[in-house]
Amino acid sequence: MPPAFREFVEDGVILTRGMEGCLYLFPLPKWKRVEEQLEHLPLTDAHSRAFVRFFYSGASKARLDAQSRLMVPQPLRSFAGLESEVVVAGAPGRLELWNPQRWDAAIQAVQDNPPHPELLINFVA
């Protein structure tokens, strides 16, 4: 296991449903920041309440076992379509776990419809 991954997960992680059918894996300090942001969503907004339910109802704390494996609960494996192979993709503050076919489709979608240049102006400047 790469040292960077071990450091990422050594204190435990939170696994939860992500967007586009993947799973998000947050180290505990990042998860606490995510929770703080979710607490600021308006309780009076139905879309906000639905998103919080979606995000929290799948959240599960996990740790590496003695063989450096991370056990993914069955409901989350089913949600993400994870079977024998998994794509682990890095993202700011989290990792994403993908079914390989869904990953390929997500990457192809970005290639077919790239982000608007305005979104990248500060990144590529």
Side-chain angles (χ1 to χ4, degrees), residues 56-98:
Y56 270 116
S57 67
S60 176
K61 189 172 183 179
R63 290 178 99 36
L64 293 178
D65 69 10
Q67 286 80 37
S68 297
R69 297 175 299 190
L70 191 68
M71 302 306 289
V72 178
Q74 181 59 47
L76 291 177
R77 286 197 319 263
S78 295
F79 168 81
L82 302 181
E83 295 172 10
S84 59
E85 292 185 35
V86 175
V87 173
V88 179
R94 69 180 187 278
L95 295 175
E96 296 179 350
L97 306 180
W98 287 85

Side-chain angles (χ1 to χ4, degrees), residues 7-39:
E7 290 173 20
F8 189 87
V9 300
E10 69 185 2
D11 293 330
V13 296
I14 299 295
L15 287 161
T16 193
R17 294 182 194 102
M19 302 296 101
E20 292 91 27
C22 72
L23 298 180
Y24 289 166
L25 191 149
F26 292 97
L28 287 177
K30 290 285 185 184
W31 176 253
K32 289 177 186 192
R33 285 189 224 142
V34 168
E35 282 186 311
E36 289 170 5
Q37 292 173 337
L38 292 174
E39 288 174 357

Side-chain angles (χ1 to χ4, degrees), residues 1-2 10 23-24 41 44 54 61-62 79 93 96 101 113 115 120:
M1 168 181 304
E10 69 185 2
L23 298 180
Y24 289 166
L41 292 176
T44 56
F54 168 82
K61 189 172 183 179
F79 168 81
E96 296 179 350
Q101 291 78 28
N113 189 17
L120 303 175

